[in-house]
Amino acid sequence: MKTETKQDKKNKAALRRAVTRRNDGLPGGGRFRALDFIIMLLAVFVFALAVRVAVLEPVRVKGTSMLSTLHEGDFMVVEKLTYAFSKPRRGDILILYYPDNLEYTCVKRVIGLAGEEVQIEDGRVFINGVLLSEPYLDQPIDGRYDGTTTVEDGCVFVLGDNRRVSKDSSTPGIGAVRIERIVGKVAVVLYPLSHIRTFPRPIY
């Protein structure tokens, strides 16, 4: 019986290393599996980024202008596709940019649509002379703004649900907001868990 020498062991080890290196370079080999994993991670990252930019985006509420519908610190999901195919409707909650600011967004509710006359009197809102029923309001309403305006084409008249503190279309210098400045529609609050809710459109 032939005894395996140290040289034989070295030769076998060298052969195994050579075969391993060759196999790693073949499709399905170690290097290819590592490369596939990296490509998959990049694809997932790009997809997630594309979804955030074009479809859904998490946004944190800052301020109290939408109490008690939205609370400061709530994490909500903004959906961006709806207004690519349809126009905003009364009662929608939007993320948008103010007319004079492209750096910060705000969250407001659509109240008046293009061509409508919006009148605010003692805190009450009238659309084309008809009092608007707003069941989502539970904050005291003051008469800090009284006035009448006709919403221009391509614009929406927006208000915060907390009318006492909201900077919105009733604020001098802002007025109705052009549709191009709308980022998207608030679809759901996901956090904190006690605030989880969706936002069906109110029945007016």
Side-chain angles (χ1 to χ4, degrees), residues 7-180:
Q7 185 60 45
D8 291 336
K9 292 180 179 179
K10 289 182 179 180
N11 291 341
K12 287 183 179 180
L15 180 61
R16 284 195 296 269
R17 288 195 295 270
V19 171
T20 299
R21 285 196 298 270
R22 184 201 65 181
N23 290 342
D24 281 348
L26 295 175
R31 285 202 295 260
F32 275 83
R33 289 196 299 271
L35 181 60
D36 286 345
F37 181 70
I38 293 172
I39 292 174
M40 182 187 69
L41 285 181
L42 288 174
V44 169
F45 174 77
V46 171
F47 177 76
L49 184 62
V51 168
R52 175 168 182 157
V53 170
V55 183
L56 299 172
E57 182 175 353
V59 178
R60 185 178 183 182
V61 177
K62 295 182 179 179
T64 59
S65 69
M66 282 295 292
L67 286 175
S68 293
T69 305
L70 295 169
H71 296 77
E72 185 165 20
D74 283 354
F75 278 90
M76 54 192 176
V77 175
V78 177
E79 177 267 304
K80 300 181 178 181
L81 285 182
T82 293
Y83 301 133
F85 306 100
S86 62
K87 295 180 179 180
R89 298 173 63 182
R90 193 180 345 274
D92 288 352
I93 300 176
L94 310 177
I95 297 292
L96 49 85
Y97 290 100
Y98 286 126
D100 59 347
N101 192 320
L102 283 175
E103 184 177 0
Y104 300 106
T105 56
C106 59
V107 55
K108 304 296 173 188
R109 187 185 296 273
V110 176
I111 296 297
L113 306 175
E116 293 182 336
E117 181 185 78
V118 179
Q119 178 185 0
I120 300 178
E121 182 179 313
D122 295 329
R124 298 176 300 166
V125 177
F126 297 82
I127 303 295
N128 295 331
V130 178
L131 178 64
L132 185 67
S133 174
E134 300 186 87
Y136 40 79
L137 298 182
D138 62 2
Q139 300 294 314
I141 299 175
D142 60 21
R144 68 182 177 92
Y145 171 84
D146 284 347
T148 302
T149 185
T150 299
V151 184
E152 298 178 2
D153 287 341
C155 297
V156 289
F157 191 96
V158 298
L159 295 173
D161 288 355
N162 187 3
R163 304 284 161 82
R164 293 182 303 165
V165 302
S166 179
K167 181 181 178 184
D168 48 39
S169 293
S170 70
T171 304
I174 295 182
V177 178
R178 297 204 62 81
I179 291 177
E180 304 92 81

